[in-house]
Amino acid sequence: MKEFAYFPGCSLEKLAISYHTSTLETSKKLGVKLQELEDWNCCGSTTYFHIDELLAYTLTARNLAIAEKTGLDVVAPCSACFKNMFFTAAHMKEDPDLAEHINFALEEDGLNFSGNTKVRHLLEMFAQDVGPDEIRSKVTRPLEGVKVAPYYGCQILRPRKDHEEVENPRYFEDLLSAIGATPIEYALKMRCCGGSLIISSRIAALSMVRNLLQCAVDQGADMIATACPMCQVNLECYQQSVNQEFGTQFAVPILYFTQLMGLALGIPKKKLGIGKELVSASPVLAAL
Amino acid sequence: MSETYTFTFMKEVSSLLHAADGNPFPMCVQCGTCSGSCPVAAYMDYTPRQIIAMVNAGLKDQVMESNTFWYCASCYQCTVRCPQDISITELMYALQRYSIWKNRYKEGMIGPAFSEAFAKTIVRTGRTFEPILAPSYIFSFKMREFFQEIQNATELMLKGRLPILPPRIKRLDNFKRMIRRILPMGGAE
Ligand code: SF4
Ligand code: SF4
């Protein structure tokens, strides 16, 4: 059985609660054990790096150190948390002075990070570590006829971790095919949703959301699948604002990929948090 | 005189980056790939290509007075495509830090207030909490936009997606002492 340490991150406590519950349900069904980090802290998202880089690394290092104690690889469902964890671990490994400074601070909480924990995004964990074949073999209710736009967003892919392909990844598509859905091709699948730009420039952020929705709809998407709470909130919660601002009529359901996986695995909607979305997915899912 | 100044601003900004060694700002060839890849460039006072040229030329005042680095969405599209292996994203972060550090930013920018409020919440409680962050920037919106926010918040609340009590980590005292080892002069309260 596969087992991972699990760092949910702040958004998953409430705002993205459906992501959390659907992750737990889906993992259970696939025989993947997730062990939530004990007493984890906020990693600072993208915002802490505006203030102090060293402190930002330290916040993330605390979670890494807690994960390391379990001896398991750690998985994060939020792309910003994932990026922070991945690169904090990498920088601490390549820079002993940085590691020493941070570990000196971690001592205050009886912790130490030696740099050995591997960091995975939840999407990578399902799409690559578990893999489409394994998932396909457990599907009981394939999402036949549902056209889903896979939305990668930014920080799962960027910055590059090694020399991997970042201009046209396919693993999200493969995962959607494995659950019987039809992944659509659209040009903006890796284009930024605006992140926290809504705070500093509302109009720029809204127009980015608009472009994304338009591109997916033009290619025939019934819904968009996301792998990050920030992307989900931007694409969903600002749809109404986009409609008001640009006179558009978008009503595109934005679900977490784990919710779709859960459906295909036969888990009841309620346990997956389906029904908590602001743009209802019922019309699309009713056809199943 | 101007040469020293040039050197200083670029160095000052670089020194705010752990990754400065691997981030060779002076190697920029002004190809414009970063600006062409940037989804926000159209809204920026200066594009990413222009900003790096200005940093390298030491045009500190113009850089600080621009919205560019506050409008960066940290999407790293520029970074993965730069032929010179420069991370413009990290440059933008460094400029934000520089701006907060020097308390100099373009009038009307909401970014700094939000960043600070967000950071303070984490340092106080170890976790973020959306509702208490909202007031720090929400009033800078215009009225109609403000109502849209309220509408969003209310709907989220009805769906059980906004937290009622701020989450806290358990070993908060250790956590605060840990932070003091990084920022000894405070900021932890
Ligand atoms: S892509 Fe790189 S080399 Fe080209 S202008 Fe931008 S920073 Fe300079
Ligand atoms: S990281 Fe910032 S500057 Fe670079 S492409 Fe994205 S928004 Fe533009």
Side-chain angles (χ1 to χ4, degrees):
Chain A
M1 190 168 87
K2 288 197 165 57
E3 191 172 356
F4 293 86
Y6 173 61
F7 171 60
C10 297
S11 312
L12 271 76
E13 294 212 307
K14 272 289 181 188
L15 194 57
I17 185 81
S18 333
Y19 196 14
H20 184 58
T21 50
S22 59
T23 296
L24 298 183
E25 291 290 336
T26 309
S27 307
K28 201 159 63 179
K29 201 84 179 178
L30 290 170
V32 176
K33 200 166 164 213
L34 296 181
Q35 185 182 325
E36 183 169 335
L37 295 188
E38 160 288 315
D39 204 32
W40 54 267
N41 57 269
C42 175
C43 76
S45 182
T46 53
T47 314
Y48 223 107
F49 283 89
H50 303 173
I51 313 279
D52 188 278
E53 194 178 27
L54 184 59
L55 188 49
Y57 289 140
T58 307
L59 290 172
T60 297
R62 183 174 175 275
N63 295 325
L64 284 167
I66 294 170
E68 198 170 59
K69 282 209 287 193
T70 67
L72 303 167
D73 291 347
V74 62
V75 43
C78 164
S79 300
C81 300
F82 164 70
K83 187 220 88 185
N84 289 345
M85 280 191 134
F86 186 95
F87 285 99
T88 301
H91 290 321
M92 284 178 73
K93 205 158 180 169
E94 77 205 7
D95 185 342
D97 297 334
L98 181 74
E100 192 188 325
H101 194 159
I102 292 175
N103 279 323
F104 170 67
L106 292 183
E107 255 174 33
E108 287 285 9
D109 198 25
L111 294 165
N112 180 76
F113 180 60
S114 66
N116 289 324
T117 303
K118 272 221 257 85
V119 183
R120 301 292 277 161
H121 188 279
L122 188 72
L123 178 62
E124 297 177 322
M125 191 271 271
F126 280 125
Q128 298 174 337
D129 300 344
V130 177
D133 297 335
E134 171 76 14
I135 294 169
R136 191 177 289 113
S137 73
K138 301 235 166 89
V139 167
T140 55
R141 285 197 315 192
L143 305 185
E144 256 153 47
V146 185
K147 292 197 225 101
V148 184
Y151 180 58
Y152 290 86
C154 302
Q155 299 187 346
I156 296 180
L157 304 167
R158 298 185 297 270
R160 234 185 231 99
K161 317 288 173 295
D162 195 1
H163 296 288
E164 77 279 14
E165 158 75 283
V166 291
E167 296 289 352
N168 186 19
R170 306 295 308 172
Y171 53 82
F172 205 162
E173 282 86 343
D174 296 344
L175 181 112
L176 292 173
S177 304
I179 57 171
T182 310
I184 64 141
E185 302 291 333
Y186 68 119
L188 299 189
K189 69 179 185 182
M190 309 172 311
R191 187 79 159 175
C192 182
C193 70
S196 52
L197 190 62
I198 194 88
I199 294 155
S200 37
S201 175
R202 187 179 172 80
I203 189 68
L206 291 184
S207 75
M208 284 158 82
V209 171
R210 179 208 178 168
N211 292 344
L212 263 164
L213 295 170
Q214 191 67 57
C215 183
V217 167
D218 287 348
Q219 298 308 314
D222 296 325
M223 58 166 68
I224 297 177
T226 67
C228 171
M230 181 125 70
C231 302
Q232 198 279 340
V233 166
N234 279 343
L235 292 178
E236 177 180 68
C237 301
Y238 296 112
Q239 245 178 77
Q240 223 175 351
S241 313
V242 164
N243 287 341
Q244 283 168 20
E245 194 71 41
F246 301 103
T248 46
Q249 311 269 320
F250 293 116
V252 188
I254 316 290
L255 293 192
Y256 292 105
F257 77 99
T258 43
Q259 293 179 294
L260 296 177
M261 280 175 67
L263 276 180
L265 295 170
I267 300 166
K269 285 189 183 134
K270 200 152 179 240
K271 284 189 164 177
L272 299 167
I274 294 180
K276 282 187 186 284
E277 64 279 1
L278 300 187
V279 179
S280 173
S282 312
V284 179
L285 299 176
L288 284 175
Chain B
M1 166 74 203
S2 82
E3 212 169 280
T4 331
Y5 183 69
T6 301
F7 181 72
T8 311
F9 182 47
M10 197 269 285
K11 279 282 174 201
E12 269 183 315
V13 173
S14 299
S15 72
L16 291 168
L17 284 173
H18 158 70
D21 289 349
N23 214 351
F25 301 144
M27 302 297 283
C28 170
V29 292
Q30 288 290 294
C31 67
T33 304
C34 49
S35 303
S37 308
C38 177
V40 202
Y43 297 91
M44 292 171 167
D45 291 337
Y46 305 104
T47 64
R49 179 191 62 80
Q50 288 170 323
I51 274 291
I52 188 166
M54 291 161 75
V55 168
N56 284 341
L59 304 177
K60 176 158 43 177
D61 296 341
Q62 287 95 318
V63 171
M64 284 299 113
E65 283 303 310
S66 78
N67 66 10
T68 299
F69 50 96
W70 290 113
Y71 278 24
C72 170
S74 313
C75 77
Y76 291 90
Q77 194 70 68
C78 50
T79 300
V80 293
R81 291 188 180 157
C82 172
Q84 296 296 88
D85 279 333
I86 295 168
S87 176
I88 287 279
T89 319
E90 299 300 334
L91 169 64
M92 299 291 186
Y93 274 128
L95 290 171
Q96 290 162 359
R97 269 173 235 143
Y98 188 82
S99 162
I100 289 178
W101 177 44
K102 295 266 177 169
N103 197 28
R104 280 188 65 182
Y105 30 83
K106 182 177 179 171
E107 195 155 342
M109 288 287 101
I110 324 172
F114 180 79
S115 290
E116 282 195 57
F118 187 89
K120 281 191 184 131
T121 315
I122 302 169
V123 170
R124 256 198 326 259
T125 67
R127 302 263 172 109
T128 54
F129 172 57
E130 287 94 355
I132 59 171
L133 291 174
S136 65
Y137 67 94
I138 214 164
F139 291 107
S140 323
F141 286 148
K142 293 189 210 75
M143 238 15 208
R144 183 163 64 100
E145 289 146 3
F146 178 69
F147 283 117
Q148 284 180 6
E149 288 306 310
I150 299 275
Q151 210 177 338
N152 270 331
T154 315
E155 283 186 57
L156 288 170
M157 190 113 71
L158 292 174
K159 299 270 182 185
R161 283 171 57 182
L162 274 191
I164 309 299
L165 288 171
R168 269 178 184 275
I169 65 169
K170 281 183 247 139
R171 299 193 300 271
L172 191 59
D173 288 340
N174 292 357
F175 182 82
K176 285 186 174 171
R177 280 203 308 276
M178 172 189 96
I179 287 171
R180 285 204 197 93
R181 284 195 169 184
I182 298 291
L183 297 179
M185 296 308 289
E189 264 17 276

